């Protein structure tokens, strides 16, 4: 069997077209566009690259995009003041503080200061609680897990009653995706198991999975013989295993590998995501979806 490849780049493009249509419609009917502020502290090259991608995507959708760059010696108090300013700004519907922050600033304090109704990353304790309660309460789903659900649903994989096994229990991927698939409703209604480093027999659990979601950060952790024939395999892992020269640019680039032995697994699975090009492209897309959703809440149309 050769698995159907779930291409995150294609799903991303499909969703971005839908979002752009919706932004244009709301602009025509209500005269407003979603507003997203990205707060970047310091000059960490990886953070600059992430923020640049977010800004470009927001601009391509016609959002109001505010790029607020701050020096890395900004005080915690001043950063809290900045968050407060955007909390009160009615033209801003999403606030994103790029992590990591400098050591003298308490990440938690800053993220918890964001108005939960503008927390488009979905990491504020209030939004974590809302997701746990589920149903209409769940406002902003964290972006990577929300993107994983989109990939599964848009591929036509049945989630109702499916055995979902999640490898990894982090707060940014493992726990929220487990919670999302557990929800009562379409695109979920699954029976969920969460595995981690203390799980006794990881292979046993993986073999039971109709949908196997792996977010461990360990290259080739999941062996091909652990995969149930026909299963949907979502590989969230992004592991740098070396460097190569890019054919396009001639520059050094990282060689990336997922948590699943892709070449062998694709002969057994029914559906599989590649690394790169699977889950990766979905995160920023879902951030845009959350920002639009926030505007719709603000307008009372969601
Ligand atoms: P994390 O915080 O390091 O958590 C990893 C989880 O995997 C932990 O719960 C850990 O268990 C579990 N784990 C590690 N080794 C294991 C093993 N041998 N057997 C079973 N469980 C094991 O990582 P994360 O932030 O969730 O990220 C996971 C991976 O996804 C990373 O490669 C990351 O780069 C990638 N990622 C990709 C995206 C994207 O594509 N957009 C977004 C986020 C993350 P314990 O809790 O017991 O330690």
């Amino acid at each position: 069997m050769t698995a159907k490849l779930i291409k995150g780049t294609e799903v991303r493009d499909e969703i971005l077209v839908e979002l752009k249509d919706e932004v244009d419609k709301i602009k025509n009917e209500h005269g407003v566009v979603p507003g997203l502020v990205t707060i970047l502290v310091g000059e960490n090259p990886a953070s600059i690259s992430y923020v640049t991608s977010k800004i470009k995507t927001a601009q391509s959708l016609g959002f109001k995009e505010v790029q607020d760059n701050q020096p890395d010696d900004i005080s915690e108090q001043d950063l809290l003041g900045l968050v407060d300013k955007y909390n009160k700004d009615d033209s801003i519907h999403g606030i994103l503080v790029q992590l990591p922050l400098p050591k003298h600033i308490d990440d938690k304090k800053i993220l918890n200061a964001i108005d939960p109704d503008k927390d488009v990353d979905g990491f504020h304790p209030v939004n974590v609680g809302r997701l746990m309660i589920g149903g209409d309460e769940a406002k902003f789903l964290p972006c990577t897990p929300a993107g994983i659900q989109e990939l599964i649903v848009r591929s036509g994989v049945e989630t109702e009653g499916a055995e979902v096994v999640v490898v990894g229990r982090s707060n940014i991927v493992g726990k929220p995706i487990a919670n999302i698939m557990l929800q009562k409703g379409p695109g979920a209604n699954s029976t969920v198991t969460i595995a981690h480093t203390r799980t006794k027999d990881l292979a046993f659990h993986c073999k039971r999975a109709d949908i196997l979601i792996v977010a461990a950060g360990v290259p080739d952790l999941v062996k091909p013989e652990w995969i149930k024939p026909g299963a949907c395999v979502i590989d969230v892992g992004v592991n740098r295993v070396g460097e190569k020269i890019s054919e396009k640019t001639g520059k050094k680039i990282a060689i990336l590998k997922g948590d699943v032995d892709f070449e062998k697994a694709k002969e057994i699975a029914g559906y599989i995501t590649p690394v790169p090009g699977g889950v990766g492209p979905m995160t920023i897309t879902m951030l845009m979806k959350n920002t639009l959703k926030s505007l719709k809440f603000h307008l009372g149309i969601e």
Side-chain angles (χ1 to χ4, degrees):
M1 177 191 285
T2 302
K4 181 176 179 289
L5 209 55
I6 302 179
K7 291 184 185 160
T9 43
E10 285 179 8
V11 179
R12 170 197 63 196
D13 293 347
E14 191 179 305
I15 296 175
L16 289 178
V17 169
E18 293 168 10
L19 295 181
K20 179 82 175 78
D21 286 350
E22 225 183 322
V23 171
D24 291 345
K25 191 165 170 265
I26 291 175
K27 190 177 175 185
N28 283 335
E29 290 175 6
H30 299 271
V32 283
V33 295
L36 176 69
V37 59
T38 47
I39 302 174
L40 173 65
V41 179
E43 291 178 1
N44 176 323
S47 296
I48 292 173
S49 156
Y50 292 138
V51 166
T52 307
S53 303
K54 289 167 189 172
I55 293 169
K56 274 191 187 159
T57 310
Q59 287 171 341
S60 74
L61 294 174
F63 284 19
K64 169 182 169 175
E65 218 294 325
V66 179
Q67 186 182 353
D68 197 330
N69 291 356
Q70 295 293 327
D72 63 5
D73 60 355
I74 185 174
S75 71
E76 190 175 270
Q77 208 49 39
D78 286 352
L79 193 54
L80 285 169
L82 207 59
V83 169
D84 187 48
K85 179 181 108 175
Y86 291 116
N87 279 343
K88 291 178 178 145
D89 183 339
D90 274 349
S91 71
I92 294 296
H93 309 98
I95 301 173
L96 188 112
V97 179
Q98 185 65 46
L99 298 180
L101 291 171
K103 285 206 173 75
H104 66 279
I105 297 177
D106 181 350
D107 292 13
K108 250 195 211 160
K109 223 180 194 176
I110 303 297
L111 297 183
N112 291 355
I114 296 173
D115 178 347
D117 290 347
K118 296 189 179 188
D119 165 46
V120 287
D121 256 340
F123 292 138
H124 193 287
V126 168
N127 284 317
V128 174
R130 286 169 169 167
L131 169 58
M132 194 75 189
I133 295 167
D136 290 343
E137 289 285 332
K139 214 162 186 180
F140 302 119
L141 302 183
C143 300
T144 300
I148 293 170
Q149 186 188 31
E150 288 277 358
L151 290 177
I152 296 169
V153 171
R154 287 178 188 247
S155 302
V157 173
E158 181 60 80
T159 61
E160 177 135 353
E163 291 287 340
V164 170
V165 175
V166 179
V167 183
R169 56 176 164 182
S170 72
N171 288 326
I172 63 164
V173 189
K175 280 188 215 161
I177 188 58
N179 231 322
I180 288 171
M181 300 312 292
L182 188 66
Q183 298 291 314
K184 192 166 189 168
N189 275 336
S190 307
T191 304
V192 180
T193 304
I194 308 181
H196 45 78
T197 54
R198 306 299 194 272
T199 296
K200 279 190 183 141
D201 189 346
L202 187 59
F204 165 78
H205 291 287
C206 292
K207 282 178 189 171
R208 293 189 300 108
D210 300 313
I211 300 172
L212 178 61
I213 301 168
V214 193
V218 180
D220 290 345
L221 172 68
V222 171
K223 312 295 172 226
E225 59 273 20
W226 297 4
I227 294 168
K228 182 172 171 178
C232 171
V233 179
I234 306 289
D235 190 351
V236 192
V238 180
N239 305 294
R240 287 165 190 267
V241 293
E243 284 184 334
K244 62 179 179 185
I245 303 294
S246 161
E247 282 177 21
K248 264 192 204 161
T249 62
K251 287 184 182 163
K252 256 191 200 170
I253 53 167
I255 301 172
L256 301 179
K257 225 176 188 309
D259 289 351
V260 177
D261 183 344
F262 177 81
E263 283 310 319
K264 291 184 188 140
K266 77 177 188 337
E267 300 305 323
I268 301 163
Y271 300 80
I272 193 165
T273 56
V275 177
V279 174
M282 296 301 292
T283 304
I284 292 180
T285 312
M286 301 317 288
L287 179 73
M288 300 301 139
K289 193 168 180 176
N290 276 348
T291 308
L292 174 59
K293 208 172 173 191
S294 176
L295 169 63
K296 292 199 289 184
F297 283 129
H298 183 74
L299 294 171
I301 57 172
E302 173 81 7

